[in-house]
Amino acid sequence: MGLWGELKVGHVWVDAVVRNPFTGRSVSIRALVDTGATDTVIPRSIVEELQLPVTGKSAVLTAKGPVELDECIGIIEIMGKRRAVPMLISSEVNFALIGVTTLEWLRLEVDPTTGKLKESVAYLL
């Protein structure tokens, strides 16, 4: 154990709602928070269920290498905070992954002492 103690980092899972901003259709999901990911990724099955329109494509680097993924816009709600966010669409993952950009827009962050999300502050300096 080091001078500052040992921090064991686990997976942070959250309950979330993804909503189509055009139709209001929504689905409740369990999502993995990934502080190493920039963007939020949702499975194609959710996109199809909610009929979210594809708005473009984005080149991203994944653990498997570079890929081009479809993009959509959806409303995501976590801990009572709701925001329209761009999301990448994956045919390879079967769960949602919440990236740091979405966390920042929702004013949420991972508390490393508890391993849970907490409210954060936005700085406009």
Side-chain angles (χ1 to χ4, degrees):
M1 189 149 87
L3 179 64
W4 301 105
E6 183 177 53
L7 177 63
K8 294 184 179 181
V9 179
H11 296 280
V12 178
W13 289 90
V14 295
D15 293 320
V17 175
V18 178
R19 181 173 284 108
N20 183 322
F22 307 106
T23 67
R25 293 180 68 180
S26 66
V27 63
S28 296
I29 60 168
R30 192 90 171 121
L32 176 64
V33 175
D34 185 350
T35 58
T38 303
D39 297 313
T40 291
V41 181
I42 60 172
R44 187 166 300 279
S45 59
I46 291 175
V47 172
E48 291 170 354
E49 180 179 345
L50 296 179
Q51 299 176 337
L52 292 167
V54 173
T55 58
K57 290 189 176 289
S58 186
V60 296
L61 185 59
T62 71
K64 292 183 176 183
V67 296
E68 188 173 73
L69 297 177
D70 288 335
E71 300 172 333
C72 66
I73 300 288
I75 295 173
I76 192 150
E77 183 176 339
I78 301 171
M79 293 177 52
K81 296 175 173 276
R82 185 183 313 172
R83 200 62 201 257
V85 299
M87 295 182 273
L88 300 175
I89 304 166
S90 175
S91 298
E92 294 191 22
V93 298
N94 59 0
F95 58 90
L97 185 141
I98 308 297
V100 293
T101 304
T102 297
L103 290 178
E104 288 175 0
W105 285 333
L106 292 171
R107 308 290 189 256
L108 296 170
E109 65 185 357
V110 175
D111 182 338
T113 61
T114 65
K116 296 182 180 182
L117 290 183
K118 67 176 185 176
E119 290 189 30
S120 65
V121 176
Y123 297 98
L124 298 174
L125 303 176

